């Protein structure tokens, strides 16, 4: 099945990612990764060439009226064909409502309507320690981040240049062990994975931010031998990200947050996903998460 592509109307919606497209594509695979957690794989070479870690896609079933609106899902990773060329994208999702329950019924060859890639994405990794902090499905953007950091894949068109961090640490928290997904993918990339669960069934019994405090103490403490400053990317429930941002600020670590704000359109027309951002004059203003985000430097957000 060939994809049908329509340029997104950037002239009518200023600020939209210029290279975004609306496409009807075919499902390649749709499989569970953990309890209520799935990976959707679609054939979409254009998306695979253009997307960057931290960007997202709006997804819906073609012709559906219930649900009518698409839903946003972060890029999990791209996949390659036998010749090593970008062939499509993977999206991770958790079954929480009508749309995601519908998605679990999609089978190989089914048609899916997707528009993207949308949003700004994470900055390219630098040479210092990179800490990835994930809560629940917030781990999704970090496989592509880790693959880029390890030099195994390049993202964006033209492919962007990323430096290799001296250390790569993933602090990953979930409700219980059955909800932890994708662990093997990160192990294969030799990421230092540190787990936390609310019920203690895997890793640390408690909050993922407990792990973050310990990890940052290793790499950001006064007198640390690290030559380059660490950085932190964070995605997950808002209270967790607030706590992570406070820890980073206390230790002087640059931190970027990936907001999971609900969206209706994904390209800035509806203004339903606004968040408060400091304006530099002591006040704040609203910014659209789908356009100016979803990635924001933590110090810019008005919590």
């Amino acid at each position: 099945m060939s994809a049908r592509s329509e340029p997104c109307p950037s002239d009518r919606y200023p600020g939209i990612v210029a290279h975004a497209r609306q496409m009807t594509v075919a499902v390649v695979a749709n499989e569970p990764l953990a309890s209520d957690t799935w990976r959707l794989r679609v054939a979409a070479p254009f998306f695979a060439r253009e997307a960057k870690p931290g960007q997202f896609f709006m997804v819906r079933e073609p012709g559906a009226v219930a649900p009518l609106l698409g839903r946003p899902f972060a890029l999990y990773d791209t996949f390659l064909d036998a010749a090593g060329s970008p062939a499509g994208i993977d999206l991770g999702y958790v079954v929480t409502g009508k749309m995601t329950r519908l998605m679990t019924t999609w089978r190989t060859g089914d048609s899916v309507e997707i528009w993207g890639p949308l949003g700004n994405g994470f900055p390219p990794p630098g040479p210092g320690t990179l800490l990835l902090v994930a809560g629940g499905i917030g781990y999704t953007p970090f496989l592509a981040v880790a693959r880029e950091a390890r030099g195994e894949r390049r993202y964006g068109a033209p492919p962007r240049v990323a430096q290799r961090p001296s250390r790569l640490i993933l602090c990953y928290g979930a409700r219980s062990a059955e909800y932890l997904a994708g662990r093997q993918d990160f192990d294969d990339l030799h990421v230092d994975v540190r787990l936390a669960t609310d019920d203690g069934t895997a890793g640390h019994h408690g909050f993922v931010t407990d792990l973050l405090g310990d990890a940052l103490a290793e790499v950001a403490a006064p007198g640390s031998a690290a030559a380059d400053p660490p950085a932190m990317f964070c995605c997950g429930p808002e209270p967790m990200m607030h706590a992570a941002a406070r820890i980073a600020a206390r230790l002087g670590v640059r931190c970027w947050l990936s907001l999971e704000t609900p969206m209706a359109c994904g390209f800035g027309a509806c203004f339903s996903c606004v968040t408060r951002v400091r304006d530099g004059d002591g006040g704040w203003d609203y910014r659209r998460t789908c356009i100016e985000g979803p990635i924001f430097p933590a110090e810019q957000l008005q919590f």
Side-chain angles (χ1 to χ4, degrees):
M1 173 181 170
S2 59
R4 177 176 58 83
S5 172
E6 300 175 2
C8 283
S10 55
D11 55 336
R12 282 186 285 159
Y13 304 115
I16 189 173
V17 177
H19 56 251
R21 295 288 185 272
Q22 180 176 336
M23 306 177 73
T24 300
V25 300
V27 173
V28 174
N30 191 25
E31 58 187 5
L33 298 177
S35 182
D36 295 331
T37 307
W38 291 63
R39 182 194 68 176
L40 175 68
R41 171 168 287 188
V42 298
F46 173 81
F47 289 156
R49 289 192 301 270
E50 295 284 339
K52 298 178 291 187
Q55 290 189 305
F56 69 95
F57 294 82
M58 299 294 290
V59 178
R60 69 184 297 272
E61 181 162 299
V65 295
L68 176 63
L69 300 175
R71 299 292 189 271
F73 298 97
L75 174 72
Y76 185 28
D77 203 1
T78 62
F79 67 93
L80 310 179
D81 61 19
S85 300
I89 60 170
D90 292 339
L91 306 173
Y93 65 97
V94 169
V95 181
T96 56
K98 182 181 292 186
M99 177 64 183
T100 45
R101 282 195 294 271
L102 173 64
M103 290 171 66
T104 65
T105 68
W106 293 347
R107 299 292 180 261
T108 300
D110 286 350
S111 295
V112 178
E113 188 175 318
I114 298 182
W115 55 102
L118 301 167
N120 55 1
F122 286 108
T129 297
L130 178 58
L131 295 108
L132 310 174
V133 187
I137 194 59
Y139 87 97
T140 305
F142 293 140
L143 181 58
V145 170
R147 203 178 294 282
E148 181 178 49
R150 289 300 189 214
E152 290 200 359
R153 194 163 300 169
R154 299 181 68 187
Y155 297 86
R160 64 184 192 169
V161 177
Q163 297 175 283
R164 296 195 183 188
S166 55
R167 295 180 65 184
L168 190 56
I169 301 172
L170 170 65
C171 298
Y172 178 17
R175 284 180 284 172
S176 66
E178 64 181 310
Y179 291 98
L180 292 167
R183 172 66 187 274
Q184 188 60 51
D185 291 329
F186 291 99
D187 286 343
D188 291 344
L189 291 169
H190 304 291
V191 177
D192 180 358
V193 179
R194 306 182 184 190
L195 303 176
T197 50
D198 294 345
D199 62 3
T201 51
H204 171 70
H205 186 180
F207 297 128
V208 69
T209 47
D210 299 336
L211 300 178
L212 172 62
D214 293 340
L216 283 174
E218 297 175 18
V219 300
S224 171
D228 297 294
M232 188 170 82
F233 297 168
C234 185
C235 184
E238 195 166 294
M240 181 274 283
M241 292 201 292
H242 291 183
R246 289 193 295 269
I247 294 170
R250 187 173 70 246
L251 294 173
V253 174
R254 289 300 309 278
C255 176
W256 286 263
L257 306 181
S258 177
L259 301 188
E260 296 183 325
T261 311
M263 301 176 187
C265 72
F267 49 79
C270 68
F271 285 80
S272 67
C273 65
V274 294
T275 190
R276 295 193 299 176
V277 176
R278 293 187 176 93
D279 61 13
D281 296 324
W284 57 270
D285 199 356
Y286 287 114
R287 294 290 184 270
R288 294 165 294 178
T289 301
C290 65
I291 297 296
E292 286 84 9
I295 315 299
F296 291 92
E299 69 272 12
Q300 290 184 4
L301 293 174
Q302 179 71 47
F303 294 132

